[in-house]
């Protein structure tokens, strides 16, 4: 039913859509073709009643077509114009179903995710091409600093603590594409703790727990489950894994699931840290 709505929408636009594995390729009248991924759109529709799908799909492809009409090279030529719309967006890497970002200005803070420099438009985002950065009066590091500062300057999404198996997890959620990006300055949410454990299951959610005592061991089990579920639901899935915020560095805390069983294989330095922690304190 979802694919029928997608195909019908693209045909109304004068395109010839061909559905593939997780993508749709639309052939234009001039003989050209554009390919779009369907995962995020499918996740978005899955959260709504089917009666709403036609409108959701139409809005999605209208935004994509408007992006095609933008002259990104001309926009990027004026750095002062793009400076306020720069953001850093966390995205999935190839291990999490993402695509290669070789021509973009990106970093890999940890396995499972990519931190990409993007232009933030009212209706969409677009990645920054390496050629654009080369023409700017700032280097890679300075561009990322500006983009992170712009994320930090946005009104913060709603945050709360939720009880999960007797521990209080910090959760931030909102409509912004950059909620997960706030993991880049997670220290501001850890209440003075130097380290923490966090998850960024999709672009709209950030989950964390300060790493100050052995209560973190109990906190990680529900974090595994929540991250896995929200990653599957999306939209904008990033990673189903947990990460250790180690004084500003992201360290992957790998796990796999088999049925209801969670197989956690932490790195040695994380185990050493746990061995040096005290018993849980009252919170």
């Amino acid at each position: 039913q979802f694919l029928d709505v997608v195909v019908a929408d693209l045909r109304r636009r004068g395109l010839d859509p061909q559905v593939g594995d997780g993508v749709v390729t639309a052939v234009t009248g001039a003989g050209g073709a554009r390919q779009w991924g369907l995962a995020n759109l499918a996740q978005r529709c899955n959260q709504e009643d089917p009666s709403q799908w036609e409108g959701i799909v139409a809005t999605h492809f209208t935004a994509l077509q408007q992006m095609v009409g933008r002259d990104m090279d001309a926009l990027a030529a004026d750095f002062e114009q793009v400076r306020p719309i720069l953001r850093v967006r966390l995205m999935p890497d190839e291990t999490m179903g993402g695509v290669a970002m070789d021509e973009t200005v990106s970093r890999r803070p940890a396995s499972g995710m990519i931190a990409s420099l993007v232009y933030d438009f009212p209706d969409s985002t677009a990645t920054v091409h390496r050629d654009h950065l080369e023409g700017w009066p700032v280097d890679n590091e300075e561009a990322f600093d500006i983009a992170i500062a712009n994320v930090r300057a946005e009104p913060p999404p709603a945050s709360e603590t939720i009880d999960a198996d007797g521990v209080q997890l910090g959760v931030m959620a909102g409509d912004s594409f950059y909620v997960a990006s706030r993991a880049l300055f997670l220290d501001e949410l850890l209440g003075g703790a130097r380290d923490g454990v966090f998850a960024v299951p999709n672009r709209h959610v950030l989950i964390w727990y300060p790493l100050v005592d052995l209560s973190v061991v109990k906190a990680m089990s529900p974090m595994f489950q929540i991250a896995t579920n929200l990653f599957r639901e999306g939209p904008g899935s990033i990673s189903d894994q947990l990460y250790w915020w180690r004084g500003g560095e992201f360290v992957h805390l790998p796990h796999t699931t088999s049925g209801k069983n969670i197989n956690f294989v932490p790195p040695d330095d994380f185990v050493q840290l746990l061995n040096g922690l005290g018993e849980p304190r009252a919170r």
Side-chain angles (χ1 to χ4, degrees):
Q1 183 179 354
F2 166 72
L3 293 177
D4 288 345
V5 173
V6 168
V7 168
D9 181 88
L10 293 176
R11 284 178 176 164
R12 283 195 296 269
R13 299 171 190 271
L15 302 173
D16 179 17
Q18 303 294 325
V19 176
D21 185 11
V23 300
V24 61
T25 301
V27 180
T28 67
R34 295 191 178 276
Q35 188 177 85
W36 294 296
L38 294 175
N40 285 339
L41 180 58
Q43 289 175 329
R44 175 75 177 86
C45 287
N46 188 50
Q47 296 175 353
E48 304 293 341
D49 188 271
S51 64
Q52 304 298 313
W53 290 2
E54 185 173 326
I56 294 169
V57 169
T59 300
H60 178 80
F61 285 114
T62 296
L64 289 178
Q65 288 195 313
Q66 289 174 343
M67 182 63 67
V68 172
R70 288 191 172 106
D71 188 339
M72 302 303 298
D73 290 339
L75 173 69
D78 185 351
F79 177 71
E80 291 308 314
Q81 180 181 359
V82 302
R83 182 186 186 111
I85 64 170
L86 291 177
R87 301 289 189 276
V88 176
R89 182 175 165 188
L90 295 185
M91 299 181 180
D93 70 9
E94 297 89 333
T95 69
M96 291 294 154
V99 297
M101 309 279 283
D102 296 337
E103 298 303 316
T104 65
V105 183
S106 303
R107 297 173 174 174
R108 292 182 179 267
S111 176
M113 69 174 76
I114 296 172
S116 184
L117 199 66
V118 301
Y119 301 112
D120 178 53
F121 299 114
D123 55 355
S124 58
T125 68
T127 54
V128 175
H129 196 279
R130 288 182 179 179
D131 291 345
H132 295 173
L133 177 63
E134 291 175 0
W136 292 348
V138 296
D139 60 19
N140 187 298
E141 190 72 27
E142 292 169 316
F144 268 91
D145 287 345
I146 291 168
I148 292 172
N150 288 342
V151 173
R152 183 186 277 111
E154 291 185 350
S159 62
E160 61 178 330
T161 57
I162 61 170
D163 183 87
D165 295 341
V167 295
Q168 303 298 308
L169 302 179
V171 177
M172 182 175 283
D175 294 332
S176 169
F177 280 25
Y178 312 106
V179 177
S181 298
R182 290 178 175 268
L184 296 167
F185 41 94
L186 187 67
D187 54 316
E188 298 178 8
L189 300 172
L190 290 177
R194 180 181 181 276
D195 291 7
V197 173
F198 73 94
V200 283
N202 62 56
R203 65 196 180 201
H204 301 297
V205 177
L206 170 62
I207 308 165
W208 70 91
Y209 192 83
L211 212 168
V212 293
D213 58 40
L214 288 176
S215 63
V216 71
V217 175
K218 187 176 182 180
M220 289 174 68
S221 180
M223 289 181 74
F224 284 136
Q225 192 61 53
I226 294 171
T228 298
N229 291 341
L230 292 180
F231 173 79
R232 290 173 179 166
E233 291 176 10
S237 299
I238 299 174
S239 174
D240 63 1
Q241 300 291 294
L242 298 191
Y243 297 89
W244 171 18
W245 166 276
R246 182 169 62 181
E249 176 189 8
F250 290 8
V251 179
H252 183 204
L253 300 175
H255 79 279
T256 58
T257 57
S258 176
K260 294 184 178 181
N261 296 322
I262 297 173
N263 304 311
F264 177 45
V265 186
D268 290 343
D269 47 358
F270 187 74
V271 174
Q272 292 174 6
L273 175 64
L274 293 181
N275 289 338
L277 294 178
E279 292 299 319
R281 302 192 301 265
R283 293 182 182 276

